[in-house]
Amino acid sequence: MRTTHRDLLTRLLPDDDPGGLVVRQGQFHIVVIGADRVVCLPRTPAAAARLPERAAVLRTLAALGLGFRTPEPLSQGGAAGTGQRPFLVLSRIPGEPLDADALHDVRVADAVAVQYTALLSGLARAGADEAVRAVIPQTPAGRWHLFAEDVRAELFPLMSGGGRLRAERELSALDGLPHVTGAVVHGDLGAENVLWEWTDGLPRLSGVLDWDGVALGDPAEDLAAIGASYGRELLERVLALGNASGSGLLARIAAIRGTFALQQALYAVRDGDVEELADGLTGYR
């Protein structure tokens, strides 16, 4: 990546040594990290087509005052028909994802739980703001029913018989999920998208990345991602701090968490992303 797109990266990151740039691959983008800015290069034409919408959402989020940093668009280019590689340049948020092993220290686990609770509270407050609700899309009422139909139509032909049985069990857990749209929901609040800096031996949440799936929806989705990344113990701490441990919420978290691999595979098959598709279907073949 650094060699193939050297001219483009040199132009977009003029103060950085191209040979020293950090490159990371996400589900939709290849991300090149410079000292103070980040270049997002879409992996597929579908991801490239979504770049303008992604930039618009990030501008909206930056104006919300959520209490933590989000990437701000600085420039974009390579529109369809220009013959140039599409890109989006964002401000860089300092920090790194938190290693799950760090949570073995009780003081660290407590600090992380408190900050995750504050993050989710900020998103809930934003979801109650009518000005925010006017610009963030709402999760459609039939979302999970449509998702189940799409998985059966698009992914079942790629699965083994045992894989289809497993998927049916996971999809059946979605039946009856209520239509909840009270909070701003990140949609992919896994460990890789939450950055931390360390101060006096404790992590401090510095910002949240990758808002491609943001919508007004059910906070159970973000809680499910926290549990998937860091395990049940941290999830229970966050739920207790937020006074949100009712059985209905726990059931929604479990049902949504069971769809994560299927969600990855469905997005991948639509984007033509062979690697992500194979990874998402690992347990279904």
Side-chain angles (χ1 to χ4, degrees):
M1 176 59 63
R2 288 187 293 264
T3 301
T4 304
H5 299 290
R6 186 182 184 90
D7 290 344
L8 176 63
L9 295 175
T10 298
R11 177 164 60 86
L12 299 177
L13 302 171
D15 298 327
D16 293 282
D17 173 14
L21 294 170
V22 176
V23 180
R24 292 178 178 164
Q25 181 169 293
Q27 181 173 356
F28 301 117
H29 307 93
I30 296 170
V31 180
V32 183
I33 303 173
D36 60 1
R37 56 182 59 190
V38 173
V39 178
C40 297
L41 302 171
R43 296 180 59 192
T44 64
R50 293 192 294 266
L51 280 184
E53 179 182 357
R54 186 183 193 209
V57 167
L58 289 173
R59 292 188 186 95
T60 297
L61 290 168
L64 293 184
L66 292 172
F68 51 85
R69 283 175 285 187
T70 58
E72 297 186 39
L74 302 176
S75 65
Q76 63 188 97
T82 65
Q84 299 176 341
R85 173 72 189 246
F87 66 84
L88 176 63
V89 180
L90 305 172
S91 61
R92 178 181 177 182
I93 297 175
E96 295 292 334
L98 186 69
D99 192 315
D101 289 342
L103 298 178
H104 294 157
D105 184 325
V106 174
R107 292 174 62 247
V108 170
D110 286 341
V112 169
V114 167
Q115 292 174 85
Y116 260 123
T117 303
L119 186 162
L120 293 169
S121 295
L123 293 178
R125 286 193 300 273
D129 185 327
E130 288 304 320
V132 174
R133 298 185 68 83
V135 295
I136 299 294
Q138 188 173 121
T139 302
R143 176 206 177 168
W144 293 116
H145 175 73
L146 180 61
F147 171 75
E149 288 187 339
D150 289 345
V151 167
R152 293 183 180 105
E154 299 178 49
L155 296 182
F156 271 28
L158 307 176
M159 298 179 182
S160 66
R164 287 191 288 273
L165 289 174
R166 172 187 167 181
E168 278 291 3
R169 290 193 297 270
E170 293 164 346
L171 295 175
S172 67
L174 300 174
D175 293 342
L177 282 184
H179 183 221
V180 179
T181 61
V184 173
V185 173
H186 178 278
D188 189 12
L189 204 61
E192 69 280 2
N193 289 328
V194 182
L195 301 184
W196 305 79
E197 294 181 296
W198 288 81
T199 305
D200 298 327
L202 292 175
R204 179 179 61 83
L205 195 155
S206 59
V208 181
L209 311 176
D210 195 359
W211 291 84
D212 288 9
V214 66
L216 297 167
D218 189 346
E221 191 166 349
D222 284 343
L223 288 162
I226 294 171
S229 291
Y230 290 115
R232 184 174 182 84
E233 185 173 341
L234 181 68
L235 176 60
E236 289 177 346
R237 287 175 186 248
V238 173
L239 290 171
L241 287 169
N243 296 315
S245 56
S247 60
L249 176 60
L250 293 175
R252 300 199 318 267
I253 291 171
I256 292 170
R257 180 173 175 177
T259 69
F260 283 170
L262 294 174
Q263 288 189 51
Q264 175 183 331
L266 186 62
Y267 296 144
V269 77
R270 290 174 173 175
D271 276 9
D273 193 323
V274 177
E275 292 180 18
E276 287 291 319
L277 176 61
D279 182 61
L281 290 180
T282 298
Y284 300 90
R285 286 179 159 168

